[in-house]
Amino acid sequence: MKSLSLVLAAAGSSTRMGLGKKKEYLEMAGGTVLSCAARIFLEAADFSTVIIAIPQNGQEQAKKAFFADPEIKKLVQGKNILFIEGGNTRQSSVYRAIKAIPEKDSIVLIHDAARPFVSKEIIQNVIKASDEHGAAAPGIPPVDTQKEISTDGTIKRHLIRKELCAIQTPQAFSLKELLECHKKASEIDFEYTDDTEIWDSYPEITGGKKVFVVEGSKDNKKITFVQDIPGKQIMTKIGIGTDLHRLVEGRKLFLGGIEIPAEKGEYGHSDGDVLLHAISDALLGAAGLGDIGSYFPPEDLKWKDADSKDLLKKIWIDIRNEGWQLNNLDCVVETEKPKFLPWRDKVIESIAKTLEVSKDQIFVKAKTNEKQDSVGAGNAIKAYCVCLLEKH
């Protein structure tokens, strides 16, 4: 049999987790999701090269997660371990990884690092089938009846369930041919769903060899949400924050860290960003760490005209150091003018950047007060925020 190489694909952003942290780096079974996935392969077969495809500038975090399990250091002795920065897509990340494998005449296994529940039997069966057929992957039959759907939402074709399967990883290939297939695929404007499709698209390179399907397992699932990790307990806390500032001439109007052109601006000890102040109080309340007034006393001159983004960053560092992560923020701004909608996307982007989270975790909307009270009269602006924090 040819020598064996392994690629663990872990270059994605994990935004669907909603944690601001990669799912492959979450704690699991004495290590991390990544180290668990790596360990099962290293115990199942003798891989000469192991490559981990990682995000840009992510070497330090990736190595920490990979070696989180002390056994990994023993298992990789004498092996070639490489951390390769991925591209903008899974396809480009895998291509970069397989190009870095020194033994071109080898069998390469490509596996989602977020699938830590794969069995040794599946790994060994895929290797054996790939050695015999050139390419192999595990698959499981669909539970539900499958249909092909038209663009108008109607059923286009009734598929035969016994002829279908859901393909999993690891997918194994003769590296020399797969490299040529990937090279061809990189030259066209089309993104393939997985490596088996790339292999099948270039029969002139593969000699017409088809991908052999071995029996997969429903347990070989891909972690998408924190709840997919066995025994992972989640503590959740809700926080609410509100703030109001007078509007006066001669001051700038800031919302969410963005300066918005207006006749009046917020009067306050700092820059008066009423939205960031409400967010700060909501986060501090959920974490049980006080309020913005206790953090930055108005009588302390060093906070005069301070940038509220910097204040929020300091608060957020302390909250994260307590083990909390953001699920989401939902905010309301009460203002009679100016119109907020044209600025909403920029404000959301600014808040997400300040907290280093996905924009999908932030939402802000605005309401007028129908000319009522101080807000309706244009003399004040008010903001509310509700947040959900999680600790794992």
Side-chain angles (χ1 to χ4, degrees), residues 88-300:
N88 294 327
T89 65
R90 185 184 189 279
Q91 179 179 323
S92 61
S93 296
V94 170
Y95 186 31
R96 288 187 181 188
I98 62 176
K99 283 194 295 184
I101 297 173
E103 309 93 344
K104 302 304 181 187
D105 188 25
S106 68
I107 292 173
V108 59
L109 273 68
I110 301 165
H111 186 65
D112 299 320
R115 289 185 190 266
F117 309 114
V118 64
S119 68
K120 293 180 183 179
E121 182 181 11
I122 289 176
I123 294 169
Q124 292 162 354
N125 287 344
V126 165
I127 292 171
K128 181 180 178 182
S130 176
D131 189 45
E132 294 176 1
H133 302 277
I140 58 174
V143 175
D144 300 314
T145 299
Q146 307 291 298
K147 308 291 182 181
E148 185 177 342
I149 305 298
S150 299
T151 54
D152 63 2
T154 59
I155 293 176
K156 180 179 179 181
R157 191 158 60 101
H158 299 272
L159 305 175
I160 303 172
R161 185 165 62 179
K162 66 181 180 180
E163 294 180 357
L164 302 173
C165 76
I167 290 295
Q168 304 176 322
T169 66
Q171 298 176 2
F173 308 89
S174 173
L175 176 59
K176 189 180 295 183
E177 287 89 342
L178 184 65
L179 269 171
E180 289 300 312
C181 291
H182 260 279
K183 183 175 185 298
K184 287 280 188 180
S186 69
E187 295 168 354
I188 63 174
D189 186 21
F190 182 80
E191 188 175 343
Y192 292 88
T193 56
D194 70 347
D195 297 283
T196 65
E197 187 181 11
I198 294 176
W199 177 275
D200 267 349
S201 297
Y202 301 97
E204 70 278 13
I205 295 174
T206 65
K209 296 176 182 176
K210 306 299 289 184
V211 180
F212 189 87
V213 179
V214 304
E215 185 177 356
S217 170
K218 62 181 177 59
D219 295 328
N220 183 22
K221 65 181 180 180
K222 189 174 182 180
I223 290 176
T224 305
F225 304 103
V226 174
Q227 295 89 332
D228 296 330
I229 301 176
K232 198 70 173 176
Q233 299 297 316
I234 304 175
M235 181 189 300
T236 59
K237 290 286 188 72
I238 296 172
I240 184 169
T242 182
D243 197 26
L244 179 146
H245 281 281
R246 284 191 292 132
L247 292 174
V248 297
E249 293 181 356
R251 292 276 294 186
K252 295 179 180 180
L253 180 67
F254 290 96
L255 284 175
I258 299 296
E259 182 182 345
I260 297 177
E263 296 175 0
K264 298 179 180 179
E266 296 123 323
Y267 179 81
H269 186 62
S270 64
D271 60 13
D273 193 321
V274 67
L275 179 55
L276 292 188
H277 295 174
I279 291 171
S280 297
D281 264 349
L283 294 171
L284 285 169
L289 294 180
D291 57 45
I292 192 170
S294 61
Y295 253 76
F296 311 108
E299 60 272 13
D300 192 334

